[in-house]
Amino acid sequence: MFKAKPHFDRPSLAMKAKKAPSTAKLQQEAISCSICLDPLMSPVTIACGHSYCMSCINVHWDREDRYKVYSCPQCRQSFTPRPVLVKSTVLADLVEQLQLKDIGLNKTIADHCYAGPEDVACDVCTGRKMKAVKSCLSCPASYCETHLQPHYDAPPLKKHKLVNPSKNLQENICYRHDEVMKVFCRTDQQSICYLCTMEEHKGHETVPAAAERAKKQKKLQESRQQIYQRIQDQEKDVKLLQQEVEAINVSADKAVEDSEEIFCELIGFLWKRSSEVKQQIRSQQETEVSRVKDVQEKLEQEITELKRKDAELEQLSHTEDHNQFLLNYPSLPALSESTHSSSINIHPLRHFEDVTAAVAELRDKLKDILTEDCRTISCVISDVDVLLARPDGMSRADFLKFSVFVSEDPNSMYRDMLLPVWYHTKRYLKQNQSFPSHPDRFTYYFQVMSDKGLLGRNYWEVDWRGSGACVAAAYRSGTVAEHAFGFNDKSWALNCTPTGYTFYHNSIETPVSGPVSSRVGVYLDHRAGTLAFYSVSGTMTLLCRVQTMFTQAIYPGLRLQRSKGDTASFIKPQ
């Protein structure tokens, strides 16, 4: 990548030379440097045949010095060793002749080569100074293209260190002795001249500045290599995170789609049950109405017949002839009892109200179930965590976000263990408690487990006093009542004493160093397989950490020594 020099505005020149012939344009391109795009200055032609300004190709090859392979910017042909550049006299004359044909162009080029306020001026030029193309750290001075040429031609000057034009060359001069500072004082960590080594820096550890540069350059390269490696690692992490983002999005979209389908299925099931209940109600309604109407019709028929009979009796009652009355009376049929009215038993007016009550009860049950299950679903959603938190980078405030209140399970408590007064005074009863037999009860060790298993992220604390206590975490299933915590592969235990800590798992004892405190914190990240124990005082100090894969819920546990006065209890972290 080449940085082109500021150059004159070719379009504006073309505007001034409105009718310039096309051959002039071709000639102008032929004498231009492909690097800076300006007319060739001290032109050189390299082995592949391409021509450049001497300063431009030198700057380009300076950048390739560390590879020791030098290439042509146009055709990329490579050369080893670095070619010796010689000014092309013929090409320089051609450029000069073409420039003289156009005074305006020549003036523009000259103006472009003069140093401006922001440029580094040549220290050799008199009158109006030209721009410097290089600064020499050995001289020290800055040179334009013309005055720099001796540094390329004279053998003694070829060894000088040339750099890009710099305004800070005076910083390389010792202000006391006016000498170039070529020595580095490691004692005072500053650059000095050779005269300084005989005076105020006498007896100090000094080395050539180039040697110190080489040493620091090596460290710089090592730092750059570390940075490069870190960049590579982090770019891999970024790629993994991008893949994880895509996986999260795909998984979330699938979960939304599946959830909608399941809820639609559930809603469809409810609609189906609603339709069935509606159909049952209507069917029962039709049956009951039909039965009632059937009885109603028969009663209405009886009423009509009774009214007819009543009319006959009324007519007979108005007969004035006694003999005629007595003659017709026996022919009247006897009044029979009603076949329906006696069987009618109207229930209290509730009808289908019981159905409404039953459906309402079902609604309430479904609400309770859905509310509880939705809480569970919300917890499952909240537990989705791609970037698992590392306990190393967590503060106490972070731990407290996951604090849980742990209570003992009386059914697991050793039969003669002192039962704590539940969490108010944190004191223990003075008399032993005799607990009934239970399959979960510890029968040999003064141990107790929590009444609830833990999943996800949780943090709890234990306060212990006396000659010692054991803070444990264990599986409920597979924890043998005769085993002490830490002496099987189903439990992890930190034994705490006034003199220090010891960690136990699967009967393996591991000494643990750390400040002794009467309070121990335990952090569990079930999904990440992390179990960590902390000494809690003014600050939290990591004592030990387990990294495994948990296959069951974890139950906090405690074990006391048999010494009188030993106590331990779960406390709520604050």
Side-chain angles (χ1 to χ4, degrees):
M1 190 74 183
F2 300 100
K3 184 176 181 182
K5 295 179 181 179
H7 57 278
F8 52 84
D9 189 353
R10 296 185 184 277
S12 64
L13 292 175
M15 293 292 291
K16 293 178 181 178
K18 295 181 180 177
K19 296 183 180 180
S22 58
T23 55
K25 294 181 180 179
L26 294 174
Q27 290 173 349
Q28 181 61 39
E29 291 178 0
I31 65 170
S32 296
C33 173
S34 62
I35 296 178
C36 66
L37 305 180
D38 286 338
L40 291 165
M41 301 283 290
S42 296
V44 294
T45 301
I46 59 178
C48 62
H50 292 107
S51 300
Y52 303 96
C53 299
M54 182 177 288
S55 62
C56 291
I57 193 64
N58 272 316
V59 169
H60 173 62
W61 283 348
D62 285 345
R63 295 193 183 106
E64 296 181 333
D65 258 339
R66 56 180 174 174
Y67 305 113
K68 304 302 180 185
V69 177
Y70 308 93
S71 62
C72 173
Q74 292 190 65
C75 66
R76 298 300 178 186
Q77 183 175 340
S78 58
F79 313 102
T80 305
R82 180 169 177 163
V84 177
L85 297 176
V86 179
K87 181 178 178 180
S88 175
T89 307
V90 176
L91 187 57
D93 292 341
L94 176 61
V95 172
E96 184 178 357
Q97 291 174 11
L98 291 174
Q99 288 177 335
L100 289 175
K101 289 181 180 180
D102 190 344
I103 298 175
L105 177 61
N106 189 51
K107 183 177 182 303
T108 303
I109 296 174
D111 289 342
H112 170 68
C113 294
Y114 287 127
E118 301 299 324
D119 298 318
V120 178
C122 175
D123 292 323
V124 182
C125 288
T126 58
R128 187 176 181 186
K129 293 183 177 291
M130 303 293 285
K131 283 183 184 178
V133 294
K134 285 288 183 179
S135 293
C136 178
L137 298 179
S138 303
C139 293
S142 298
Y143 302 98
C144 65
E145 184 69 38
T146 303
H147 294 119
L148 180 64
Q149 191 60 40
H151 279 74
Y152 296 127
D153 299 336
L157 298 179
K158 287 183 178 180
K159 298 180 179 180
H160 287 193
K161 180 66 174 177
L162 298 178
V163 297
N164 290 330
S166 173
K167 292 183 178 181
N168 302 321
L169 289 179
Q170 288 302 315
E171 294 181 1
N172 295 329
I173 305 299
C174 176
Y175 71 93
R176 284 193 177 92
H177 307 105
D178 202 27
E179 291 287 341
V180 178
M181 295 186 291
K182 297 183 179 181
V183 182
F184 185 80
C185 177
R186 287 180 174 173
T187 305
D188 296 331
Q189 289 294 302
Q190 67 180 70
S191 296
I192 59 176
C193 70
Y194 74 96
L195 293 175
C196 292
T197 62
M198 304 175 189
E199 297 177 2
E200 61 268 26
H201 292 272
K202 186 177 181 181
H204 290 187
E205 182 184 2
T206 58
V207 294
E212 185 67 17
R213 162 67 186 268
K215 179 181 178 181
K216 285 186 165 53
Q217 184 76 21
K218 184 178 179 181
K219 290 184 178 179
L220 185 144
Q221 289 302 115
E222 292 174 355
S223 298
R224 290 193 63 196
Q225 184 61 33
Q226 291 175 359
I227 292 173
Y228 175 77
Q229 186 60 46
R230 188 174 297 180
I231 290 173
Q232 293 294 103
D233 295 341
Q234 293 188 357
E235 284 179 346
K236 289 180 182 178
D237 291 342
V238 168
K239 188 175 181 180
L240 288 174
L241 290 174
Q242 182 59 38
Q243 294 173 352
E244 195 61 37
V245 166
E246 294 173 2
I248 290 170
N249 291 335
V250 170
S251 179
D253 292 342
K254 184 70 167 55
V256 168
E257 182 181 346
D258 293 346
S259 299
E260 287 180 347
E261 183 178 347
I262 293 169
F263 276 110
C264 286
E265 183 181 345
L266 179 60
I267 292 170
F269 175 78
L270 290 175
W271 275 114
K272 183 179 179 181
R273 294 303 303 154
S274 172
S275 178
E276 290 175 355
V277 170
K278 179 180 178 180
Q279 185 177 355
Q280 286 180 332
I281 292 173
R282 293 305 183 193
S283 177
Q284 189 65 21
Q285 175 189 13
E286 185 179 346
T287 300
E288 292 303 316
V289 169
S290 176
R291 287 177 56 202
V292 170
K293 284 187 175 181
D294 184 55
V295 174
Q296 181 181 1
E297 288 176 1
K298 290 180 179 180
L299 286 176
E300 288 177 347
Q301 290 176 2
E302 288 186 9
I303 290 171
T304 301
E305 183 62 25
L306 288 173
K307 285 182 177 180
R308 185 185 63 76
K309 288 181 179 181
D310 181 62
E312 290 179 359
L313 292 176
E314 182 182 6
Q315 182 180 0
L316 180 61
S317 67
H318 291 295
T319 303
E320 295 181 354
D321 187 343
H322 301 302
N323 291 326
Q324 191 65 32
F325 174 85
L326 294 173
L327 179 65
N328 293 329
Y329 183 81
S331 64
L332 294 174
L335 183 64
S336 62
E337 292 186 1
S338 174
T339 58
H340 297 94
S341 59
S342 61
S343 64
I344 297 175
N345 183 16
I346 302 297
H347 295 290
L349 297 179
R350 288 188 60 82
H351 304 305
F352 291 95
E353 284 80 354
D354 290 341
V355 177
T356 303
V359 173
E361 184 180 356
L362 174 62
R363 175 200 62 197
D364 295 339
K365 287 180 180 179
L366 283 176
K367 278 185 177 180
D368 293 339
I369 293 172
L370 290 175
T371 300
E372 185 62 31
D373 288 352
C374 283
R375 288 197 193 100
T376 303
I377 293 171
S378 296
C379 291
V380 172
I381 294 172
S382 300
D383 198 43
V384 174
D385 188 356
V386 177
L387 299 175
L388 298 174
R390 291 183 57 83
D392 311 54
M394 294 173 62
S395 64
R396 179 163 177 77
D398 294 326
F399 284 111
L400 292 179
K401 292 177 183 177
F402 306 108
S403 64
V404 292
F405 181 72
V406 179
S407 54
E408 294 94 340
D409 179 11
N411 292 327
S412 70
M413 193 172 293
Y414 179 71
R415 62 178 182 270
D416 294 327
M417 200 171 183
L418 297 180
L419 183 67
V421 177
W422 292 106
Y423 310 112
H424 294 297
T425 62
K426 294 293 186 298
R427 289 183 292 105
Y428 287 75
L429 297 178
K430 294 182 179 180
Q431 68 275 14
N432 289 357
Q433 302 293 310
S434 294
F435 296 106
S437 298
H438 194 277
D440 295 334
R441 191 169 310 289
F442 291 103
T443 57
Y444 185 77
Y445 293 96
F446 281 57
Q447 297 184 156
V448 65
M449 294 182 75
S450 66
D451 59 353
K452 193 173 296 184
L454 302 177
L455 298 170
R457 298 185 200 172
N458 298 274
Y459 176 74
W460 68 93
E461 290 182 352
V462 172
D463 183 79
W464 64 276
R465 305 296 168 92
S467 62
C470 180
V471 181
Y475 295 150
R476 188 83 174 193
S477 174
T479 300
V480 182
E482 291 79 11
H483 282 180
F485 290 135
F487 285 84
N488 56 26
D489 61 352
K490 304 294 191 299
S491 60
W492 299 260
L494 181 71
N495 194 49
C496 311
T497 67
T499 57
Y501 303 97
T502 307
F503 179 75
Y504 293 91
H505 174 63
N506 204 18
S507 301
I508 298 175
E509 177 181 335
T510 306
V512 174
S513 61
V516 176
S517 172
S518 62
R519 181 175 297 189
V520 173
V522 186
Y523 172 72
L524 167 70
D525 190 335
H526 195 280
R527 184 182 175 196
T530 300
L531 180 68
F533 296 84
Y534 292 84
S535 172
V536 181
S537 52
T539 57
M540 293 182 60
T541 304
L542 177 64
L543 298 174
C544 61
R545 180 169 63 240
V546 174
Q547 198 66 46
T548 184
M549 184 176 69
F550 297 118
T551 58
Q552 303 177 34
I554 293 295
Y555 287 77
L558 290 175
R559 183 176 70 246
L560 293 176
Q561 304 293 343
R562 293 179 180 270
S563 302
K564 185 177 181 180
D566 291 344
T567 63
S569 62
F570 296 110
I571 59 175
K572 185 171 178 59
Q574 294 179 349

